[in-house]
PDB file of all heavy atoms in Angstrom:
ATOM      1  N   MET V 119     -15.212   6.184   9.956  1.00  0.00           N
ATOM      2  CA  MET V 119     -15.567   5.628  11.255  1.00  0.00           C
ATOM      3  C   MET V 119     -16.832   4.775  11.156  1.00  0.00           C
ATOM      4  O   MET V 119     -16.987   3.801  11.881  1.00  0.00           O
ATOM      5  CB  MET V 119     -15.766   6.751  12.266  1.00  0.00           C
ATOM      6  CG  MET V 119     -14.483   7.509  12.553  1.00  0.00           C
ATOM      7  SD  MET V 119     -14.433   8.157  14.218  1.00  0.00           S
ATOM      8  CE  MET V 119     -14.783   9.856  13.964  1.00  0.00           C
ATOM      9  N   ALA V 120     -17.728   5.160  10.243  1.00  0.00           N
ATOM     10  CA  ALA V 120     -19.013   4.464  10.155  1.00  0.00           C
ATOM     11  C   ALA V 120     -18.925   3.171   9.342  1.00  0.00           C
ATOM     12  O   ALA V 120     -19.783   2.295   9.473  1.00  0.00           O
ATOM     13  CB  ALA V 120     -20.054   5.388   9.529  1.00  0.00           C
ATOM     14  N   LEU V 123     -19.391  -0.175  11.044  1.00  0.00           N
ATOM     15  CA  LEU V 123     -20.723  -0.316  11.622  1.00  0.00           C
ATOM     16  C   LEU V 123     -21.749  -0.593  10.533  1.00  0.00           C
ATOM     17  O   LEU V 123     -22.638  -1.427  10.692  1.00  0.00           O
ATOM     18  CB  LEU V 123     -21.100   0.955  12.390  1.00  0.00           C
ATOM     19  CG  LEU V 123     -20.125   1.360  13.500  1.00  0.00           C
ATOM     20  CD1 LEU V 123     -20.562   2.661  14.146  1.00  0.00           C
ATOM     21  CD2 LEU V 123     -20.012   0.260  14.531  1.00  0.00           C
ATOM     22  N   MET V 128     -25.730  -2.028  11.241  1.00  0.00           N
ATOM     23  CA  MET V 128     -26.262  -1.297  12.389  1.00  0.00           C
ATOM     24  C   MET V 128     -27.234  -0.210  11.910  1.00  0.00           C
ATOM     25  O   MET V 128     -27.107   0.306  10.800  1.00  0.00           O
ATOM     26  CB  MET V 128     -25.100  -0.662  13.152  1.00  0.00           C
ATOM     27  CG  MET V 128     -25.491  -0.064  14.486  1.00  0.00           C
ATOM     28  SD  MET V 128     -24.043   0.608  15.296  1.00  0.00           S
ATOM     29  CE  MET V 128     -23.378  -0.868  16.030  1.00  0.00           C
ATOM     30  N   ILE V 133     -25.511   4.398  14.431  1.00  0.00           N
ATOM     31  CA  ILE V 133     -24.197   4.685  13.852  1.00  0.00           C
ATOM     32  C   ILE V 133     -23.848   6.142  14.098  1.00  0.00           C
ATOM     33  O   ILE V 133     -22.766   6.482  14.570  1.00  0.00           O
ATOM     34  CB  ILE V 133     -24.178   4.393  12.330  1.00  0.00           C
ATOM     35  CG1 ILE V 133     -24.333   2.893  12.071  1.00  0.00           C
ATOM     36  CG2 ILE V 133     -22.884   4.912  11.699  1.00  0.00           C
ATOM     37  CD1 ILE V 133     -24.389   2.527  10.602  1.00  0.00           C
ATOM     38  N   ARG V 136     -22.940   6.888  17.694  1.00  0.00           N
ATOM     39  CA  ARG V 136     -21.622   6.376  18.082  1.00  0.00           C
ATOM     40  C   ARG V 136     -20.483   7.169  17.455  1.00  0.00           C
ATOM     41  O   ARG V 136     -19.490   7.480  18.117  1.00  0.00           O
ATOM     42  CB  ARG V 136     -21.481   4.917  17.640  1.00  0.00           C
ATOM     43  CG  ARG V 136     -22.289   3.967  18.488  1.00  0.00           C
ATOM     44  CD  ARG V 136     -21.703   2.601  18.332  1.00  0.00           C
ATOM     45  NE  ARG V 136     -22.531   1.587  18.947  1.00  0.00           N
ATOM     46  CZ  ARG V 136     -22.116   0.342  19.144  1.00  0.00           C
ATOM     47  NH1 ARG V 136     -20.909  -0.001  18.729  1.00  0.00           N
ATOM     48  NH2 ARG V 136     -22.894  -0.544  19.708  1.00  0.00           N
ATOM     49  N   VAL V 137     -20.639   7.499  16.157  1.00  0.00           N
ATOM     50  CA  VAL V 137     -19.574   8.227  15.478  1.00  0.00           C
ATOM     51  C   VAL V 137     -19.388   9.597  16.126  1.00  0.00           C
ATOM     52  O   VAL V 137     -18.272  10.021  16.402  1.00  0.00           O
ATOM     53  CB  VAL V 137     -19.872   8.365  13.966  1.00  0.00           C
ATOM     54  CG1 VAL V 137     -18.897   9.330  13.312  1.00  0.00           C
ATOM     55  CG2 VAL V 137     -19.788   7.011  13.282  1.00  0.00           C
ATOM     56  N   ALA V 140     -17.708   9.264  19.561  1.00  0.00           N
ATOM     57  CA  ALA V 140     -16.271   8.989  19.451  1.00  0.00           C
ATOM     58  C   ALA V 140     -15.532  10.238  18.987  1.00  0.00           C
ATOM     59  O   ALA V 140     -14.455  10.572  19.490  1.00  0.00           O
ATOM     60  CB  ALA V 140     -16.029   7.843  18.485  1.00  0.00           C
ATOM     61  N   MET V 167      -8.037   5.712  15.607  1.00  0.00           N
ATOM     62  CA  MET V 167      -8.485   5.301  16.935  1.00  0.00           C
ATOM     63  C   MET V 167     -10.014   5.302  16.994  1.00  0.00           C
ATOM     64  O   MET V 167     -10.631   4.384  17.524  1.00  0.00           O
ATOM     65  CB  MET V 167      -7.974   6.274  18.006  1.00  0.00           C
ATOM     66  CG  MET V 167      -6.474   6.346  18.139  1.00  0.00           C
ATOM     67  SD  MET V 167      -5.854   5.042  19.172  1.00  0.00           S
ATOM     68  CE  MET V 167      -6.781   5.338  20.647  1.00  0.00           C
ATOM     69  N   GLY V 168     -10.592   6.356  16.408  1.00  0.00           N
ATOM     70  CA  GLY V 168     -12.046   6.493  16.417  1.00  0.00           C
ATOM     71  C   GLY V 168     -12.709   5.324  15.708  1.00  0.00           C
ATOM     72  O   GLY V 168     -13.726   4.797  16.166  1.00  0.00           O
ATOM     73  N   ARG V 169     -12.107   4.899  14.613  1.00  0.00           N
ATOM     74  CA  ARG V 169     -12.655   3.779  13.858  1.00  0.00           C
ATOM     75  C   ARG V 169     -12.685   2.520  14.728  1.00  0.00           C
ATOM     76  O   ARG V 169     -13.555   1.677  14.585  1.00  0.00           O
ATOM     77  CB  ARG V 169     -11.798   3.566  12.613  1.00  0.00           C
ATOM     78  CG  ARG V 169     -12.438   2.698  11.586  1.00  0.00           C
ATOM     79  CD  ARG V 169     -11.732   2.814  10.276  1.00  0.00           C
ATOM     80  NE  ARG V 169     -10.350   2.352  10.362  1.00  0.00           N
ATOM     81  CZ  ARG V 169      -9.522   2.325   9.334  1.00  0.00           C
ATOM     82  NH1 ARG V 169      -9.922   2.747   8.159  1.00  0.00           N
ATOM     83  NH2 ARG V 169      -8.293   1.912   9.471  1.00  0.00           N
ATOM     84  N   ALA V 170     -11.681   2.420  15.627  1.00  0.00           N
ATOM     85  CA  ALA V 170     -11.643   1.259  16.517  1.00  0.00           C
ATOM     86  C   ALA V 170     -12.665   1.414  17.640  1.00  0.00           C
ATOM     87  O   ALA V 170     -13.373   0.471  17.981  1.00  0.00           O
ATOM     88  CB  ALA V 170     -10.243   1.095  17.090  1.00  0.00           C
ATOM     89  N   ILE V 171     -12.765   2.627  18.175  1.00  0.00           N
ATOM     90  CA  ILE V 171     -13.628   2.854  19.340  1.00  0.00           C
ATOM     91  C   ILE V 171     -15.102   2.626  19.019  1.00  0.00           C
ATOM     92  O   ILE V 171     -15.808   1.964  19.767  1.00  0.00           O
ATOM     93  CB  ILE V 171     -13.453   4.298  19.869  1.00  0.00           C
ATOM     94  CG1 ILE V 171     -12.053   4.474  20.439  1.00  0.00           C
ATOM     95  CG2 ILE V 171     -14.487   4.602  20.926  1.00  0.00           C
ATOM     96  CD1 ILE V 171     -11.761   5.909  20.788  1.00  0.00           C
ATOM     97  N   VAL V 172     -15.580   3.171  17.886  1.00  0.00           N
ATOM     98  CA  VAL V 172     -17.014   3.116  17.597  1.00  0.00           C
ATOM     99  C   VAL V 172     -17.534   1.687  17.573  1.00  0.00           C
ATOM    100  O   VAL V 172     -18.706   1.444  17.841  1.00  0.00           O
ATOM    101  CB  VAL V 172     -17.376   3.784  16.240  1.00  0.00           C
ATOM    102  CG1 VAL V 172     -17.181   5.284  16.334  1.00  0.00           C
ATOM    103  CG2 VAL V 172     -16.574   3.199  15.099  1.00  0.00           C
ATOM    104  N   ARG V 173     -16.671   0.759  17.256  1.00  0.00           N
ATOM    105  CA  ARG V 173     -17.120  -0.625  17.145  1.00  0.00           C
ATOM    106  C   ARG V 173     -17.365  -1.249  18.511  1.00  0.00           C
ATOM    107  O   ARG V 173     -17.982  -2.293  18.602  1.00  0.00           O
ATOM    108  CB  ARG V 173     -16.051  -1.434  16.411  1.00  0.00           C
ATOM    109  CG  ARG V 173     -15.851  -1.015  14.951  1.00  0.00           C
ATOM    110  CD  ARG V 173     -16.301  -2.127  14.054  1.00  0.00           C
ATOM    111  NE  ARG V 173     -15.937  -3.397  14.643  1.00  0.00           N
ATOM    112  CZ  ARG V 173     -14.775  -3.992  14.471  1.00  0.00           C
ATOM    113  NH1 ARG V 173     -13.892  -3.463  13.684  1.00  0.00           N
ATOM    114  NH2 ARG V 173     -14.514  -5.132  15.061  1.00  0.00           N
ATOM    115  N   SER V 174     -16.849  -0.661  19.599  1.00  0.00           N
ATOM    116  CA  SER V 174     -16.798  -1.285  20.938  1.00  0.00           C
ATOM    117  C   SER V 174     -16.455  -2.770  20.829  1.00  0.00           C
ATOM    118  O   SER V 174     -17.260  -3.622  21.163  1.00  0.00           O
ATOM    119  CB  SER V 174     -18.095  -1.153  21.735  1.00  0.00           C
ATOM    120  OG  SER V 174     -18.912  -0.182  21.218  1.00  0.00           O
ATOM    121  N   PRO V 175     -15.258  -3.065  20.347  1.00  0.00           N
ATOM    122  CA  PRO V 175     -14.889  -4.458  20.117  1.00  0.00           C
ATOM    123  C   PRO V 175     -14.453  -5.138  21.406  1.00  0.00           C
ATOM    124  O   PRO V 175     -14.336  -4.499  22.447  1.00  0.00           O
ATOM    125  CB  PRO V 175     -13.707  -4.335  19.166  1.00  0.00           C
ATOM    126  CG  PRO V 175     -13.067  -3.055  19.555  1.00  0.00           C
ATOM    127  CD  PRO V 175     -14.149  -2.153  20.056  1.00  0.00           C
TER     128      PRO V 175
END
Side-chain angles (χ1 to χ4, degrees):
Chain V
M119 294 211 257
L123 303 177
M128 189 179 277
I133 293 177
R136 286 201 189 192
V137 170
M167 297 277 303
R169 195 165 63 179
I171 293 172
V172 291
R173 294 247 322 273
S174 343

